[in-house]
Amino acid sequence: TIFALSSGHGKCGVAVIRVSGPASASALRSLAGMTHLLPAPRTAVLHSLLDPGTGEPLDRGLVLWFPGPHSFTGEDCAEFHVHGGPAVISGVLQALGSLPGLRPAEAGEFTRRAFQAGKLDLTEVEGLGDLIHAETEAQRRQALRQMAGDLGRLYQGWSQALTRNLAHMEAFIDFSEDENIEEGVLNQVDVSVEQLREELEAHLRDGRRGERLRNGVQVVIAGETNAGKSSLLNTICQRPAAIVSPVAGTTRDVVEAPLDIGGFPVLLSDTAGLRDTQDSVEREGVRRARERVEQADLTVAMLDVAEFPEDLTRLPQFLPEYLKKVLGDSQRPCLLVLNKTDLLSGEQLDSLRGVLAWATGLPPICLLSCTTGDGLEHFLGVLQKQVESMCGNPLVGAPSLTQARHRVHLVRCVEALAQYQHYRELDLALAAEGLRLGLTSLGRITGRVGAEQILDLVFKDFCIGK
């Protein structure tokens, strides 16, 4: 029987201590001083808690009883809702530890027991973990949907279809010569496998929306020295996260700041100014900056308006060349920010807007002054739309991939289905092995895979005999 503090550490109004396992009932009786009767299941009862060794009062709080299998772990469970002072929590935990057959829980052990009892599959376990760690609204929505089983049901549906196809293949291989196996069984398997493969590939072509939403969209600010990259980071963060100086090349390393942009998680990175330099430290900073641009989900390319050509009509040719210099070979989305517009007169600003209105083939452009804040709200609105389009709405459509682990197993499943199609006309046993490998890959995502499922369907779908 295991026990642990289930609420957060530190001083709080109420702390929840959970117990799970066969000795939960005796632990509840010992601490609450009950002789025989337990509280009604899932009913909170106010009770004094006593040290079972000395009889000393520990606290007065709520106790709840959850008999298995109708509990989170599927086992007998008890909960103690006590005052959240460190001394109270410590006293109750020490009292539980003094009882025979009880030990402190390991990290994640309650959820592991829930999984082993079939209360949750692995995708729901991961959704629960994501929900606990969610920091933005969109992350919460995605995690809640996964914890509710939407993603698990999608994968389970594919597993059931693949199990049925494998069962039909096995039956045809083992019994087709002796029993009356329906004609066209293999053709039905071919059609089903092809359809399943198309669905899997479409699921994999999601632009990593779910993974981006779970881990945060990587947004990198890049550009030449003194373009205002650090000033933009500080303005968005509303704190001096990066050093700002008129000296070119002040930023040497990558400075990161996690943000919530319209409910979506963003990891914003400021990088060293891009230029040729003899300074070895700055040269390493430039290398890291280019590396971050290659890895970024979205690049904010910044340009000082003072760097514009004197003839603004040349701007539509100048800007693509600058973007090529900043982005290199990266094909990832980007925003172009023209900074220090406070240095331009009203007439110059009007001319600039007129030229940009006719420019084509450029990413979204934002005019900005980090000094005065003009254009910041528009920039943040454009950034939010870009991030939202990259993550998608977690409540709309089919559930998205959220873990790199899922992607690995789904890719292996697609490869296994390709093996089936390759060996279909050559060797049915090897083709069936492809289906088996695909089923195993899907089962590893949810944590549910076994030969019994195949045997059940063989005897259910085919009248092999008693």
Side-chain angles (χ1 to χ4, degrees), residues 31-187:
L31 263 69
M34 300 175 177
T35 53
H36 298 291
L37 292 177
L38 290 170
R42 292 167 294 282
T43 302
V45 177
L46 183 63
H47 219 283
S48 295
L49 302 180
L50 309 174
D51 187 308
T54 64
E56 177 189 356
L58 298 172
D59 193 19
R60 184 170 174 82
L62 298 176
V63 296
L64 292 97
W65 168 240
F66 301 91
H70 304 296
S71 68
F72 173 70
T73 61
E75 305 174 318
D76 286 349
C77 287
E79 285 185 2
F80 301 90
H81 296 209
V82 298
H83 292 98
V88 175
I89 295 171
S90 176
V92 175
L93 292 177
Q94 287 183 22
L96 288 171
S98 68
L99 296 174
L102 270 71
R103 64 169 175 81
E106 298 175 0
E109 192 170 2
F110 285 97
T111 307
R112 185 183 184 92
R113 292 191 179 193
F115 164 69
Q116 290 172 334
K119 294 287 184 176
L120 302 170
D121 68 23
L122 284 183
T123 62
E124 293 166 339
V125 168
E126 290 164 335
L128 174 59
D130 290 348
L131 183 64
I132 292 171
H133 294 99
E135 296 181 347
T136 70
E137 281 296 301
Q139 286 178 320
R140 176 186 61 79
R141 292 181 185 129
Q142 177 171 277
L144 201 57
R145 187 176 182 187
Q146 183 171 334
M147 194 186 76
D150 285 16
L151 194 61
R153 281 190 290 273
L154 177 65
Y155 295 156
Q156 199 61 35
W158 288 339
S159 292
Q160 290 169 357
L162 199 49
T163 301
R164 188 179 303 108
N165 292 330
L166 180 56
H168 291 186
M169 281 286 292
E170 296 284 3
F172 186 87
I173 293 171
D174 291 341
F175 306 113
S176 61
E177 296 180 359
D178 305 321
E179 302 291 342
N180 183 25
I181 300 296
E182 294 91 333
E183 294 181 3
V185 163
L186 294 187
N187 292 334

Side-chain angles (χ1 to χ4, degrees), residues 12-24:
C12 53
V14 176
V16 178
I17 296 172
R18 175 183 286 169
V19 182
S20 178
S24 297

Side-chain angles (χ1 to χ4, degrees), residues 247-312:
V247 178
T250 300
T251 302
R252 303 294 184 93
D253 207 346
V254 178
V255 180
E256 296 180 336
L259 299 170
D260 181 341
I261 304 290
F264 292 88
V266 169
L267 184 63
L268 188 64
S269 301
D270 176 28
T271 57
L274 303 176
R275 67 170 179 175
D276 293 328
T277 177
Q278 299 303 314
D279 187 315
S280 60
V281 177
E282 187 180 354
R283 195 161 57 241
E284 172 62 17
V286 172
R287 186 196 68 78
R288 293 187 182 189
R290 295 197 180 282
E291 184 178 66
R292 280 303 180 97
V293 170
E294 287 292 325
Q295 299 169 348
D297 296 314
L298 175 67
T299 300
V300 176
M302 290 198 73
L303 175 62
D304 184 344
V305 296
E307 302 298 322
F308 285 177
E310 291 185 10
D311 182 4
L312 287 182

Side-chain angles (χ1 to χ4, degrees), residues 173-363:
I173 293 171
D174 291 341
F175 306 113
S176 61
E177 296 180 359
D178 305 321
E179 302 291 342
N180 183 25
I181 300 296
E182 294 91 333
E183 294 181 3
V185 163
L186 294 187
N187 292 334
Q188 294 174 13
V189 172
D190 292 341
V191 172
S192 178
V193 168
E194 178 59 28
Q195 179 182 350
L196 182 58
R197 182 179 176 184
E198 291 175 358
E199 291 179 8
L200 284 164
E201 289 175 341
H203 186 62
L204 287 166
R205 290 193 303 269
D206 69 339
R208 296 184 181 272
R209 291 196 305 272
E211 292 168 81
R212 281 196 181 115
L213 182 53
R214 180 176 181 268
N215 300 318
V217 179
Q218 304 283 334
V219 178
V220 173
I221 308 173
E224 293 183 341
T225 55
N226 271 2
K229 300 182 296 298
S230 298
S231 296
L232 178 60
L233 178 77
N234 292 345
T235 302
I236 295 175
C237 296
Q238 298 183 338
R239 62 182 177 88
I243 298 174
V244 176
S245 163
V247 178
T250 300
T251 302
R252 303 294 184 93
D253 207 346
V254 178
V255 180
E256 296 180 336
L259 299 170
D260 181 341
I261 304 290
F264 292 88
V266 169
L267 184 63
L268 188 64
S269 301
D270 176 28
T271 57
L274 303 176
R275 67 170 179 175
D276 293 328
T277 177
Q278 299 303 314
D279 187 315
S280 60
V281 177
E282 187 180 354
R283 195 161 57 241
E284 172 62 17
V286 172
R287 186 196 68 78
R288 293 187 182 189
R290 295 197 180 282
E291 184 178 66
R292 280 303 180 97
V293 170
E294 287 292 325
Q295 299 169 348
D297 296 314
L298 175 67
T299 300
V300 176
M302 290 198 73
L303 175 62
D304 184 344
V305 296
E307 302 298 322
F308 285 177
E310 291 185 10
D311 182 4
L312 287 182
T313 58
R314 294 186 53 243
L315 204 56
Q317 291 79 39
F318 173 79
L319 291 178
E321 293 172 0
Y322 179 76
L323 286 173
K324 177 68 176 175
K325 183 178 179 181
V326 172
L327 301 175
D329 297 328
S330 175
Q331 302 298 317
R332 305 288 176 87
C334 76
L335 298 178
L336 179 57
V337 175
L338 307 180
N339 189 30
K340 304 184 183 180
T341 55
D342 57 294
L343 302 178
L344 301 178
S345 66
E347 184 179 340
Q348 288 173 317
L349 268 176
D350 291 338
S351 298
L352 175 59
R353 290 192 178 98
V355 171
L356 294 177
W358 290 98
T360 58
L362 292 172

